[in-house]
Amino acid sequence: MYKKIIIPLILISGVYADDDRWGNRGDVAPVKNAIYAKECGSCHFAYQPGLLPQRSWTKMMGNLENHFGSDASLDDATTKYLANYLKSNSAERGIEYKRSRKILQSIRPNETPLRITKTRYFVNKHNEIPKKMIVQKAVGSLANCAACHTTANKGSYSERAIKIPNYGMWEDD
Amino acid sequence: MKKYTLAMLLCGVLANAGGFSPSIQSYIATLKSEAKQANSSFVDFNAKRGEQIFTSKHIGKKGDSISCTSCHGNNLTKNGQNATTNKIIKPLAPSVNKSRLTDTKEVQKWLRRNFKDVYNREGTALEKGDVLYYIQSK
């Protein structure tokens, strides 16, 4: 009887303790793993593991020799270590985070996306941005999160923190 | 035993001649012995050949014409930029970036990956040594 009340209370207080006034845990759990930040962040933004489901990371880590056309191979021990890190921090493990939850909800059970930019949630969020703002040298592609999301490395993708190089703030309507 | 010590010493002196950091000198020595095995007339690596390897264009892993300079640029004392992701790459030249060519594991990882990306195959010991001499000279 008490359990029914107490558990939600604990959950709520835990959520409130951590983040904003809406009681939301935040966008996506930030990367706190130095090996991940170094190994995966040397060529591209170190995408938070909570931006894709577990099955996507597993598939990706099984083929680093051909990583979106580039060789991103690592020694076996590091590959295994990072695969495990990604798995245990994937979107499913962070559904209290808004973006993890929404990305996850936008992927069909039979899909295993490798590109965050191809998930339906991401596409819907970015489809109004004029191409010229994306293809410019300071950005390049939608995969370059931190080019416009000034707090992306903290796992925060809030609209207030968007600044498109050479164009400025972005306001959704 | 004496012979072995002498050989090790010689390797050390030879590697040191290139001005490499102590931590990767044994890797240079290994590459040298591999290069020697592949071609008995091998004497030493060469920065000029390395430059050619580094700047020439090839059909890479993605099927496009690409060179090492596509991402690292022509001036190794300056930042480069990843041609696919646009991420800034810190200078390769040890003269301005002290962390370069100091960690054998890192050096091996990037030589393996980047030869695959640019040449669509692994580099030979000769090629790797030449490129390392070229980078070290910058």
Side-chain angles (χ1 to χ4, degrees):
Chain A
M1 164 75 180
Y2 281 127
K3 245 187 185 170
K4 272 189 184 157
I5 304 166
I6 289 170
I7 289 179
L9 274 179
I10 292 171
L11 283 176
I12 288 168
S13 61
V15 163
Y16 262 97
D18 217 69
D19 221 281
D20 70 15
R21 61 202 149 120
W22 309 114
N24 221 315
R25 192 76 190 252
D27 282 348
V28 58
V31 169
K32 287 180 182 158
N33 184 303
I35 298 175
Y36 179 77
K38 172 181 174 272
E39 295 299 349
C40 302
S42 49
C43 293
H44 55 68
F45 175 69
Y47 306 104
Q48 287 85 12
L51 295 174
L52 280 177
Q54 200 181 99
R55 59 185 185 278
S56 298
W57 293 124
T58 302
K59 188 174 176 188
M60 198 179 302
M61 292 304 284
N63 190 16
L64 284 183
E65 291 75 21
N66 193 355
H67 187 64
F68 304 101
S70 291
D71 187 311
S73 59
L74 288 160
D75 62 82
D76 289 347
T78 312
T79 307
K80 226 176 185 173
Y81 173 83
L82 290 176
N84 188 50
Y85 166 73
L86 288 163
K87 237 170 88 177
S88 42
N89 291 279
S90 65
E92 294 95 331
R93 299 294 184 96
I95 49 164
E96 69 272 33
Y97 289 92
K98 182 169 89 174
R99 312 288 179 180
S100 294
R101 191 169 60 241
K102 293 199 166 175
I103 286 174
L104 207 55
Q105 284 167 351
S106 80
I107 302 169
R108 294 194 182 102
N110 63 345
E111 294 173 326
T112 304
L114 293 180
R115 292 178 189 271
I116 300 159
T117 54
K118 292 281 188 262
T119 62
R120 248 174 300 281
Y121 176 69
F122 184 101
V123 171
N124 289 338
K125 277 287 180 185
H126 294 85
N127 61 4
E128 283 175 22
I129 305 165
K131 206 176 167 195
K132 63 179 181 197
M133 295 186 188
I134 300 165
V135 299
Q136 60 166 326
K137 194 162 166 59
V139 181
S141 82
L142 286 176
N144 193 357
C145 308
C148 305
H149 292 276
T150 58
T151 53
N153 63 344
K154 297 186 185 112
S156 170
Y157 294 86
S158 102
E159 203 182 304
R160 280 164 296 162
I162 297 173
K163 202 177 157 217
I164 300 174
N166 304 310
Y167 293 93
M169 316 288 277
W170 174 261
E171 273 169 53
D172 229 349
D173 27 53
Chain B
M1 180 64 190
K2 236 182 176 176
K3 240 184 188 170
Y4 178 74
T5 316
L6 200 70
M8 286 304 283
L9 206 69
L10 192 67
C11 281
V13 169
L14 281 176
N16 207 13
F20 286 97
S21 87
S23 49
I24 75 154
Q25 280 173 20
S26 74
Y27 178 54
I28 298 286
T30 306
L31 286 176
K32 279 185 179 171
S33 91
E34 281 175 31
K36 184 90 185 155
Q37 239 169 35
N39 178 2
S40 57
S41 64
F42 168 81
V43 181
D44 197 358
F45 298 125
N46 179 300
K48 201 83 205 138
R49 284 196 309 254
E51 180 173 16
Q52 176 65 22
I53 291 164
F54 197 87
T55 55
S56 55
K57 286 197 163 191
H58 303 269
I59 299 299
K61 193 176 170 75
K62 287 184 177 172
D64 300 334
S65 180
I66 183 175
S67 70
C68 305
T69 60
S70 303
C71 294
H72 291 290
N74 283 304
N75 183 346
L76 299 194
T77 65
K78 297 258 163 70
N79 277 341
Q81 191 176 24
N82 186 302
T84 308
T85 67
N86 279 15
K87 178 131 185 166
I88 297 296
I89 303 170
K90 294 204 177 109
L92 269 191
S95 64
V96 299
N97 186 350
K98 298 288 173 220
S99 70
R100 294 301 189 191
L101 309 194
T102 58
D103 181 339
T104 298
K105 225 179 134 188
E106 280 293 295
V107 169
Q108 288 174 313
K109 176 179 79 182
W110 288 111
L111 284 173
R112 179 185 73 241
R113 290 174 167 182
N114 294 355
F115 263 103
K116 288 264 188 69
D117 282 347
V118 177
Y119 285 75
N120 207 14
R121 60 166 173 80
E122 284 240 27
T124 64
L126 181 68
E127 289 170 327
K128 289 176 182 172
D130 285 345
V131 165
L132 291 178
Y133 268 42
Y134 171 62
I135 296 170
Q136 182 61 40
S137 75
K138 294 290 159 188

